[in-house]
Amino acid sequence: MIAFWQNLGKSTIERLASIGRATSLLLGALFNVPNIKKGTPLLIKQLYSVGFLSLIIVIVSGLFIGMVLALQGYTVLQGYGAEGSLGPLVALSLLRELGPVVTALLFAGRAGSALTAEIGLMKATEQLSSLEMMAIDPLKRIVAPRFWAGMISMPLLALIFSAVGILGAHLVGVNWLGVDTGSFWSIMQAEVSFEKDILNGIIKTVVFAFLITWIALYRGYDCIPTSEGISSATTKTVVQSSLAVLGFDFVLTAIMFSS
Amino acid sequence: MVSRKIEIFVGFFVSLGVLALIMLALNVANAGIGSNGETYTLKAKFENIGSLKVRSPIKVGGVVIGRVTSISLDKSDYLPVVAMEISTDYSNFSETTAVNILTSGILGEQYLGLNPGVLIGESDADDELNDLFGQDELKVLVDGDFITDTKSALVLEELIGQFLFNQGGE
């Protein structure tokens, strides 16, 4: 019985300690906004590896998801003679849900895992301790640029995803299936609002970017410095950030779109 | 420290993101996409345009020949005025042309159906008709002209109202 209480207490304390470490890491990253002269090169390097290198997977999946949405939507809408509503169907589902969520999942798999593995290996090879030895704050030098790179590139990636998806839907719907191009765009323009749909989608992606980069950086920074520890930290990053994205997506959707 | 190549790639990435935002924003704010080739504009006044929208297609016998460019309200009689942009390939509509607001399918979008009326071109037939009706020669509609023969959109509520009214009368 005593052992049970002890285990419970131990796991609670560990949980709290890990939340505390994660929060201090986050604060360290948040308040170490890279200064213009020294930080910009670091930020640009991270923007390249986090943002630009994720571009291919985001564009390709956006294109295919848009095309599949158009195909599926067309088959159903055709039954009601409402093919013209294909535009708003695709645009709204991409801007409100699929753009932010699928990009976030891809981003977690492509960039989040890489961040964790990189920082975890830095820790295992004691590069982080060496930085501290040289009186360089690893939070400032390593964590902050990666955090801000994730926060900047994720919304951009989601916007690119949605735009490419709509173009893909146009390709299939208009050029292949013969939906009228004028009604495709005009009904879309009548239905989609900038504040309600596009802006809310961007807010979603910012929240997801925050969650994913935070989890990825914390998992890497806090991993057990062995090869096994790094692999389990990488797995945890992908699993936890995907779950966090899906959970927060429901909450955000409930707040934004339920009237 | 950071190589020039990486900086260029990041610049490319950021501008692509901004471009996507602009494209999405313009989709909402109604930018001019499409419609190439030369066009001329005709106008028509309706009693009720239903859910006709800017950029709705204009069809003759199901073939798209132009688009609605603007919908406004005439302040003198509070009737909607629809401006139509029609390809110059089809520029010989006579003044007997009729225009109806039609719906594709039950739930489909609304479009403008043009009914060309008396065609201009075969002079013999025209002359006979003109003699018959004692009219001057038919005029061709040119840029900026109004089509007078219009039929409004069917509004379901009005139809049901009329039906009920007729039923009550019997």
Side-chain angles (χ1 to χ4, degrees):
Chain A
M1 196 60 189
I2 295 286
F4 169 73
W5 296 117
Q6 192 194 347
N7 279 336
L8 186 68
K10 194 181 159 203
S11 68
T12 312
I13 289 170
E14 271 173 9
R15 254 320 129 71
L16 284 176
S18 110
I19 291 173
R21 284 199 301 276
T23 313
S24 75
L25 174 97
L26 177 70
L27 293 180
L30 274 179
F31 292 111
N32 281 316
V33 180
N35 67 343
I36 294 189
K37 208 170 158 222
K38 273 190 196 165
T40 313
L42 294 174
L43 184 67
I44 286 179
K45 197 149 177 289
Q46 291 310 316
L47 275 175
Y48 173 75
S49 65
V50 166
F52 181 78
L53 292 181
S54 309
L55 212 52
I56 291 292
I57 186 174
V58 162
I59 287 179
V60 171
S61 27
L63 186 70
F64 277 96
I65 286 183
M67 295 200 302
V68 167
L69 264 182
L71 262 179
Q72 293 280 15
Y74 181 81
T75 356
V76 177
L77 288 175
Q78 196 193 22
Y80 303 101
E83 302 98 293
S85 302
L86 189 67
L89 173 92
V90 171
L92 287 182
S93 40
L94 278 172
L95 287 170
R96 288 183 178 179
E97 287 299 329
L98 288 173
V101 173
V102 177
T103 312
L105 295 178
L106 292 172
F107 188 76
R110 163 68 185 70
S113 59
L115 285 179
T116 307
E118 190 186 8
I119 294 180
L121 198 68
M122 279 183 186
K123 191 180 180 187
T125 52
E126 295 182 344
Q127 295 179 42
L128 293 182
S129 339
S130 321
L131 281 178
E132 274 174 15
M133 288 283 290
M134 293 187 284
I136 298 170
D137 186 2
L139 285 183
K140 207 171 185 174
R141 172 90 198 180
I142 304 291
V143 174
R146 285 170 175 74
F147 179 79
W148 288 107
M151 291 293 279
I152 293 170
S153 41
M154 185 36 216
L156 294 176
L157 287 172
L159 285 171
I160 294 171
F161 184 97
S162 299
V164 170
I166 291 173
L167 291 181
H170 185 267
L171 195 72
V172 166
V174 175
N175 298 355
W176 180 19
L177 297 171
V179 174
D180 185 73
T181 173
S183 53
F184 184 88
W185 292 111
S186 70
I187 302 181
M188 188 195 292
Q189 283 157 6
E191 296 286 321
V192 178
S193 90
F194 185 77
E195 294 85 16
K196 199 166 174 290
D197 300 314
I198 298 184
L199 224 54
N200 274 345
I202 293 176
I203 293 171
K204 269 188 179 180
T205 55
V206 170
V207 173
F208 296 161
F210 177 81
L211 288 170
I212 294 170
T213 37
W214 184 19
I215 290 174
L217 292 173
Y218 170 67
R219 282 292 158 212
Y221 203 72
D222 203 54
C223 79
I224 303 157
T226 58
S227 45
E228 211 175 19
I230 294 172
S231 92
S232 96
T234 314
T235 313
K236 273 182 190 161
T237 295
V238 175
V239 172
Q240 289 178 346
S241 47
S242 304
L243 291 178
V245 163
L246 294 172
F248 268 80
D249 180 49
F250 175 74
V251 175
L252 287 174
T253 306
I255 294 172
M256 287 170 177
F257 296 110
S258 69
S259 44
Chain B
M1 204 157 56
V2 178
S3 79
R4 207 166 146 245
K5 210 168 107 192
I6 287 183
E7 282 174 350
I8 292 169
F9 281 143
V10 171
F12 174 70
F13 165 61
V14 172
S15 49
L16 203 64
V18 173
L19 210 72
L21 178 67
I22 291 173
M23 185 213 140
L24 292 174
L26 288 187
N27 270 345
V28 175
N30 192 4
I33 304 167
S35 99
N36 33 10
E38 288 189 13
T39 56
Y40 67 107
T41 305
L42 295 180
K43 290 176 179 171
K45 205 177 261 188
F46 292 91
E47 278 190 5
N48 188 337
I49 57 160
S51 64
L52 194 75
K53 291 186 182 71
V54 172
R55 297 174 58 74
S56 292
I58 297 159
K59 298 180 183 179
V60 175
V63 179
V64 179
I65 60 162
R67 307 236 165 253
V68 172
T69 49
S70 79
I71 295 172
S72 56
L73 204 59
D74 187 341
K75 276 197 183 135
S76 60
D77 48 10
Y78 284 94
L79 288 175
V81 175
V82 175
M84 301 169 266
E85 201 178 52
I86 296 172
S87 164
T88 39
D89 294 347
Y90 312 100
S91 59
N92 59 341
F93 288 108
S94 72
E95 56 186 339
T96 56
T97 301
V99 55
N100 305 328
I101 297 180
L102 303 169
T103 310
S104 55
I106 298 174
L107 301 169
E109 87 272 27
Q110 289 190 308
Y111 64 95
L112 282 180
L114 273 188
N115 204 338
V118 179
L119 292 173
I120 298 170
E122 290 97 275
S123 51
D124 294 351
D126 268 0
D127 287 344
E128 274 178 39
L129 270 174
N130 292 339
D131 291 345
L132 205 64
F133 294 113
Q135 280 179 326
D136 299 330
E137 203 158 305
L138 285 171
K139 275 197 291 183
V140 176
L141 292 171
V142 293
D143 191 65
D145 278 356
F146 271 84
I147 298 176
T148 44
D149 187 357
T150 63
K151 214 165 87 185
S152 291
L154 281 182
V155 179
L156 203 59
E157 289 87 336
E158 284 178 6
L159 269 186
I160 294 172
Q162 271 178 9
F163 176 72
L164 288 178
F165 184 75
N166 289 343
Q167 290 280 303
E170 278 173 14

